[in-house]
């Protein structure tokens, strides 16, 4: 019997029907997407179909006062220090806020004049009056009288201009030199001591020299001229109060050796530099600091203004070894290659000082607009003039100029209630100090020179607060650190440390640091960065109740042998990572994250990459993690990423919501994963490159046929 012919249309329908079932069973297969779920049936959130996330309450947030952008006295309620003005607005442009910021309330803003009757006691033997109506007419004559008449303890100086360079020396009794007015705006009203141009090149040339004095106070005078303002050598006790040191060619105040220096209610403005106009392009030279103190065990600076000084604001060191002289301009070594001895009896306190716009650009006194000029080697062009390169790397050693404050070699450094704003390179460098207490300070827009190109800012990017080789402890409490050109705080433990440094950070607001350079070369700008060698003792830390917001790279970052606790912190809107921990130490170190909120980041909410530390991540809320790039396939956008860890990690009771790619990515890492709530991600848990999971959340794990992209932090 002949087979019945089947029409061509029926062949076609049978072929389509067969193809439908092939596609159906292929799509229903667990391995269709390149993933191999360990339990059948996935839902759109990347979990299993019958997965019900546990109910987890979000962790507590830092206090509401700390979440606002406000001066330190508004962030915390337990400080007696006070500020005027307000910080720059959040997310304001680079050029939108060039002055202002938080200002300590006790810094003088007006001239001070002596009360009536100032000269009433000139006839007394202990009082010597200087001026047109005085017993002597010049300070040079006064110094001679003081040297020969031991009864004199007070020198009163009338208003007027004294063009002199005068020396007081070998006075072994308390001596006060007091001016009638420190009015620096009007030479007819102020008591001005101005050093004339010297005939030689002596480094200690000054308007006022104090040598081998026992106890001397300089008060209510304007000090200026063609040398240092005041130079003091080997004086037991020096007090500077209510003075104005301005337009000195060299340092406003240089103290070399002695026992005790106290500076209060004084101003140091536009010292340490001159504009050389002899060539085709003007350039700034002979840079120096507003205040320079070397080899003095006890230093106390309170309620002063230090601004627009050529090499930087304040330099205090136990000796002069950190100064690297390049073409007679002061540079400060800023890395671990500089050996500085910590002198155990040296203690420095700064409280309530305003230190702003110091550095080669700051002393120029004009906005740094882009301009074309031919500069000598080691200089750069801004504002039509050449300025010394702010950061120099020579033979592996980094040095800097244009810092607000440099401290080195002290056993204790205490900084409270200070404001550092708009210094050329960075706010503060602390090098080789035993203990650092840093409380209720404001660091804002340091290194952010307005109208400057981002490429140039990137060349000289420097942390707002950089600590190198601190020996014992660092306490950071109640500080506002915002909108600085690079990291807010960078702490580097010495590679030669014999014991681990201890860092405690609480109730700080760190935001917008590095944000002006996002997209320029490699990302910069962590809120808090901790660095330690992978060998040797671990740096230990505890960071709680801090707010990290929109820093240019990450909120918290560490690299090397670092061990400690991040707890109850808020991380918001970081463009690369919320928290990143790289190249951890051995199994004796531990990294624990507990009760933190990470709200918005790119790449990873938490990334731990490499090393042997024991990692515990518990009871955190992580949400809204997006890819760094807008185009690409399966790019990193994960709540938690753990990679190449040799110790087993623990991830439990975390709330991971609406993270674009993965809740938990395990790459070549073993972890105990239990009782986490993972929702709104493409995949709940990914294991790849030999990673393994135990715990109650093991059924959520999926293994891709091809590993998902997993980039070490940029």
């Amino acid at each position: 019997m002949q087979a019945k012919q089947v029409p061509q249309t029926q062949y076609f329908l049978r072929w389509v029907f067969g193809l439908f079932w092939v596609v159906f069973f292929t799509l229903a297969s667990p391995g269709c997407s390149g993933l191999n779920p360990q339990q059948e049936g996935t839902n759109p959130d990347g979990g299993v179909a019958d997965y019900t996330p546990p109910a987890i309450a979000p962790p507590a947030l830092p206090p509401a006062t700390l979440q606002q952008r406000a001066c330190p006295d508004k962030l915390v309620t337990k400080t007696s220090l006070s500020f005027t003005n307000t910080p720059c607005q959040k997310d304001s442009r680079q050029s939108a806020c060039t002055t202002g910021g938080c200002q300590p309330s006790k810094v003088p803003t007006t001239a001070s004049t002596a009360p009536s009757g100032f000269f009433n006691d000139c006839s007394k033997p202990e009082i010597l009056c200087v001026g047109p109506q005085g017993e002597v007419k010049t300070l040079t004559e006064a110094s001679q009288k003081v040297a020969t008449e031991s009864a004199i303890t007070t020198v009163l100086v009338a208003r007027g201009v004294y063009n002199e360079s005068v020396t007081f020396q070998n006075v072994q009794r308390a001596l006060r030199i007091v001016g009638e007015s420190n009015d620096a705006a009007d030479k007819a009203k102020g008591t001005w001591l101005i050093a004339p141009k010297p005939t030689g090149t002596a480094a200690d040339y000054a308007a006022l020299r104090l040598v081998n004095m026992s106890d001397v106070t300089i008060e209510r005078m304007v000090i200026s001229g063609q040398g240092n303002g005041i130079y003091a050598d080997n004086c037991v006790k020096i007090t500077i109060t209510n003075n104005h040191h301005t337009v000195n060619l060299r340092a406003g105040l240089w103290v070399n050796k002695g026992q005790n220096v106290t500076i209060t209610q004084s101003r140091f403005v536009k010292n340490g530099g001159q504009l050389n106009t002899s060539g085709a392009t003007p350039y700034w030279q002979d840079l120096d600091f507003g205040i320079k103190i070397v080899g003095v065990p006890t230093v106390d600076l309170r309620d002063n203004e230090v601004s627009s000084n050529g090499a930087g604001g304040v330099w205090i060191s136990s000796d002069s070894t950190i100064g690297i002289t390049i073409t007679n301009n002061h540079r400060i070594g800023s890395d671990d290659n500089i050996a500085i001895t910590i002198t155990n009896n040296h203690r420095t306190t700064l409280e309530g000082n305003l230190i702003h716009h110091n550095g080669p650009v700051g002393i120029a006194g004009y906005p740094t607009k882009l301009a074309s000029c031919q500069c000598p080697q080691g200089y750069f062009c801004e504002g039509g003039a050449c300025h010394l390169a702010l950061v120099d790397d020579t033979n592996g050693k980094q040095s800097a100029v244009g810092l607000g404050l440099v401290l080195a070699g002290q056993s204790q450094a205490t900084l409270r209630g200070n404001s550092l704003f708009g210094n050329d390179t960075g706010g503060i460098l602390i090098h080789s100090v035993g203990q650092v207490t840093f409380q209720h300070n404001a660091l804002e827009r340091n290194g952010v020179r307005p109208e400057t190109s981002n490429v140039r800012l990137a060349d000289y990017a420097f942390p707002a607060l950089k600590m190198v080789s601190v020996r014992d402890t660092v306490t950071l409490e109640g500080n506002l650190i915002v909108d600085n050109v690079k990291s807010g705080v960078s702490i580097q433990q010495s590679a030669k440390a014999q014991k681990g440094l201890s860092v405690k950070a609480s109730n700080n607001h760190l935001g917008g640091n590095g944000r002006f350079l996002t997209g320029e070369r490699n990302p910069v700008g962590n809120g808090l960065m901790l660095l330690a060698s992978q060998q040797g003792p671990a740096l230990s830390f505890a960071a709680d109740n801090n707010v990290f917001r929109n820093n240019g790279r990450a909120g918290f970052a560490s690299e090397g042998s670092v061990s400690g606790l991040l707890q109850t912190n808020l991380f918001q809107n970081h463009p690369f990572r919320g928290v990143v921990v790289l190249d951890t130490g051995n199994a004796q170190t531990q990294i624990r994250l507990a009760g933190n909120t990470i709200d918005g980041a790119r790449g990873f909410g938490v990334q731990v990459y490499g090393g042997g530390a024991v990692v515990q991540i518990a009871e955190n809320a992580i949400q809204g993690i997006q890819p760094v790039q807008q185009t690409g396939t399966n790019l990193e956008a994960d709540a938690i990423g753990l990679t190449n860890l040799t110790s087993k990690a623990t991830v439990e009771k975390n709330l991971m919501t609406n993270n674009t790619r993965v809740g938990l990515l395990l790459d070549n890492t073993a972890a105990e994963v239990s009782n986490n709530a993972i929702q709104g991600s493409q995949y709940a848990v990914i294991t790849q490159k030999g990673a393994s999971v135990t715990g109650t959340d093991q059924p959520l794990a999926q293994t891709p046929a091809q590993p998902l992209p997993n980039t070490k932090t940029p």
Side-chain angles (χ1 to χ4, degrees):
M1 185 175 179
Q2 188 176 9
K4 185 177 180 180
Q5 292 288 101
V6 180
Q8 291 294 321
T9 54
Q10 291 188 31
Y11 276 120
F12 176 77
L13 291 173
R14 289 177 183 178
W15 179 81
V16 170
F17 187 74
L19 179 62
F20 168 80
W21 287 109
V22 169
V23 172
F24 175 83
F25 286 112
T26 300
L27 292 174
S29 172
C32 69
S33 66
L35 296 170
N36 183 21
Q38 297 177 2
Q39 183 165 331
E40 293 182 2
T42 60
N43 66 21
D45 289 345
V48 296
D50 57 355
Y51 167 65
T52 301
I56 297 177
L61 295 172
T65 55
L66 192 63
Q67 295 181 45
Q68 65 182 340
R69 176 178 285 230
C71 294
D73 58 338
K74 304 296 190 302
L75 293 179
V76 293
T77 57
K78 56 183 178 181
T79 176
S80 60
L81 303 167
S82 61
F83 293 81
T84 61
N85 213 341
T86 58
C88 298
Q89 291 185 359
K90 181 178 68 173
D91 300 329
S92 57
R93 298 188 313 276
Q94 179 182 333
S95 59
C97 186
T98 59
T99 60
C102 302
Q103 299 185 14
S105 61
K106 295 182 181 180
V107 172
T109 57
T110 59
S112 172
T113 301
S116 60
F118 181 61
F119 293 110
N120 285 354
D121 295 328
C122 289
S123 61
K124 292 183 178 180
E126 66 270 23
I127 295 177
L128 175 64
C129 293
V130 181
Q133 308 302 318
E135 182 178 350
V136 296
K137 303 298 186 286
T138 68
L139 279 162
T140 300
E141 293 176 275
S143 69
Q144 295 166 353
K145 280 272 191 182
V146 168
T148 58
E149 299 182 18
S150 60
I152 298 174
T153 59
T154 302
V155 177
L156 303 180
V157 188
R159 66 184 75 210
V161 176
Y162 300 83
N163 290 298
E164 306 177 58
S165 171
V166 58
T167 299
F168 288 80
Q169 61 183 350
N170 300 324
V171 178
Q172 299 305 305
R173 63 186 182 276
L175 178 68
R176 295 175 65 232
I177 303 173
V178 186
E180 188 176 3
S181 172
N182 66 3
D183 192 330
D186 188 344
K187 288 183 179 179
K189 294 180 179 179
T191 303
W192 283 71
L193 176 58
I194 303 176
K197 187 174 182 178
T199 56
T201 58
D204 62 354
Y205 179 75
L208 178 60
R209 297 176 72 253
L210 306 169
V211 180
N212 296 325
M213 304 288 282
S214 173
D215 181 356
V216 59
T217 297
I218 311 299
E219 181 178 351
R220 206 187 298 120
M221 296 184 69
V222 182
I223 310 292
S224 188
Q226 295 297 307
N228 300 286
I230 295 178
Y231 171 78
D233 183 57
N234 200 31
C235 297
V236 175
K237 182 179 179 181
I238 299 173
T239 302
I240 307 293
T241 183
N242 223 357
N243 268 16
H244 195 140
H245 298 228
T246 185
V247 196
N248 291 283
L249 176 63
R250 298 175 183 164
L253 170 67
W254 177 12
V255 180
N256 183 47
K257 300 180 182 178
Q259 292 299 315
N260 186 302
V261 173
T262 300
I263 306 172
T264 63
Q265 291 276 303
S266 295
R267 302 181 70 197
F268 299 82
V269 181
K270 292 188 177 180
N271 303 286
Q274 65 176 332
L275 187 64
N276 187 321
T277 58
S278 61
T281 301
Y283 67 94
W284 284 85
Q285 65 179 24
D286 297 323
L287 302 181
D288 213 329
F289 282 76
I291 299 173
K292 185 167 59 176
I293 301 173
V294 180
V296 178
T298 303
V299 178
D300 193 342
L301 275 67
R302 296 176 190 264
D303 309 325
N304 303 287
E305 180 186 4
V306 185
S307 67
S308 303
N309 298 288
V314 181
W315 169 13
I316 303 171
S317 66
S318 58
D319 56 44
S320 60
T321 57
I322 62 169
I324 302 173
T325 301
I326 299 178
T327 61
N328 296 321
N329 293 293
H330 287 79
R331 285 187 177 277
I332 300 301
S334 60
D335 59 24
D336 197 30
N337 293 310
I338 309 298
I340 301 172
T341 300
I342 297 176
T343 307
N344 288 326
N345 66 338
H346 281 231
R347 293 169 174 81
T348 295
T349 301
L350 286 91
E351 183 173 302
N353 300 286
L354 174 60
I355 303 174
H356 65 99
H357 295 101
N358 294 285
V361 178
I363 194 174
Y366 45 70
T368 56
K369 299 181 184 301
L370 301 181
S372 176
C373 47
Q374 298 297 317
C375 296
Q377 185 176 2
Y379 283 72
F380 69 100
C381 176
E382 282 189 13
C386 296
H387 309 275
L388 187 69
L390 300 177
V391 177
D392 179 71
D393 292 279
T394 303
N395 299 323
K397 295 183 178 182
Q398 186 183 72
S399 60
V401 69
L403 297 165
L405 170 64
V406 177
L407 297 175
Q410 291 86 21
S411 60
Q412 294 181 12
T414 302
L415 295 91
R416 293 192 177 98
N418 303 285
S419 176
L420 289 98
F421 184 99
N423 296 288
D424 280 3
T425 309
I428 302 174
L429 171 64
I430 297 177
H431 202 312
S432 299
V433 172
Q435 300 175 2
V436 177
T437 301
F438 195 81
Q439 296 174 314
H440 315 309
N441 301 284
L443 277 71
E444 189 172 1
R445 299 218 165 202
N446 294 288
V448 182
R449 301 183 304 285
E451 310 296 342
T452 302
S453 71
N454 282 359
V455 171
R456 185 168 293 148
L457 287 185
D459 286 339
Y460 304 128
F462 201 89
L465 172 57
K466 182 173 182 177
M467 302 189 200
V468 180
S469 300
V470 177
R471 184 186 61 195
D472 300 324
T473 62
V474 172
T475 300
L476 304 168
E477 182 181 4
N479 302 289
L480 175 74
I481 304 176
V482 294
D483 293 345
N484 298 285
V485 72
K486 197 176 181 182
S487 290
V489 180
S490 173
I491 302 175
Q492 179 181 353
Q493 178 172 281
S494 172
K496 303 172 185 177
Q498 299 299 308
K499 64 176 183 178
L501 170 65
S502 175
V503 176
K504 178 173 176 55
S506 59
N507 298 302
N508 301 287
H509 185 115
L510 302 103
N513 299 294
R515 70 179 176 88
F516 297 114
L517 297 182
T518 300
E520 289 293 330
R521 305 174 191 176
N522 294 323
V524 301
N526 304 293
L528 173 60
M529 177 74 175
L530 304 178
L531 299 166
S533 170
Q534 286 187 280
Q535 308 299 321
L539 182 157
S540 63
F541 74 91
D544 65 277
N545 280 303
N546 301 287
V547 173
F548 301 86
R549 179 172 288 153
N550 191 30
N551 297 287
R553 179 172 176 260
F556 173 89
S558 72
E559 187 169 346
S561 184
V562 175
S563 180
L565 172 67
L566 279 173
Q567 186 171 26
T568 323
N569 300 286
L570 173 61
F571 300 85
Q572 285 187 316
N573 302 327
H574 289 95
F576 288 93
R577 307 289 189 260
V579 174
V580 58
V581 178
L582 303 180
D583 303 325
T584 65
N586 55 37
Q588 280 67 54
T589 59
Q590 183 181 96
I591 303 289
R592 178 172 172 80
L593 282 74
N596 301 285
T597 299
I598 301 176
D599 181 11
R602 293 187 180 275
F604 292 92
V606 177
Q607 181 184 40
V608 185
Y609 201 114
V614 176
V615 176
Q616 299 177 340
I617 303 176
E619 300 179 343
N620 304 280
I622 307 173
Q623 63 186 21
I625 309 303
Q626 302 177 31
V628 172
Q629 300 175 354
Q630 298 301 316
T631 59
T633 303
N634 267 338
L635 297 177
E636 300 94 326
D638 308 340
I640 301 172
L642 306 179
T643 303
N644 295 341
L645 302 181
T646 58
S647 297
K648 190 172 185 178
T650 301
V651 181
E652 61 182 2
K653 298 181 180 179
N654 297 284
L655 180 61
M656 295 177 261
T657 307
N658 297 328
N659 302 294
T660 303
R661 191 179 73 167
V662 182
L664 171 62
L665 173 70
L666 297 174
D667 190 319
N668 190 30
T669 296
E672 176 80 12
V673 184
S674 296
N675 301 314
N676 297 282
I678 307 175
Q679 295 176 288
S681 299
Q682 185 178 358
Y683 312 116
V685 179
I686 289 291
T687 58
Q688 61 187 34
K689 298 182 182 178
S692 61
V693 178
T694 57
T696 61
D697 293 342
Q698 188 271 344
L700 302 180
Q702 299 172 275
T703 301
Q706 296 294 325
L708 298 183
N710 180 21
T711 306
K712 197 172 184 179
T713 182

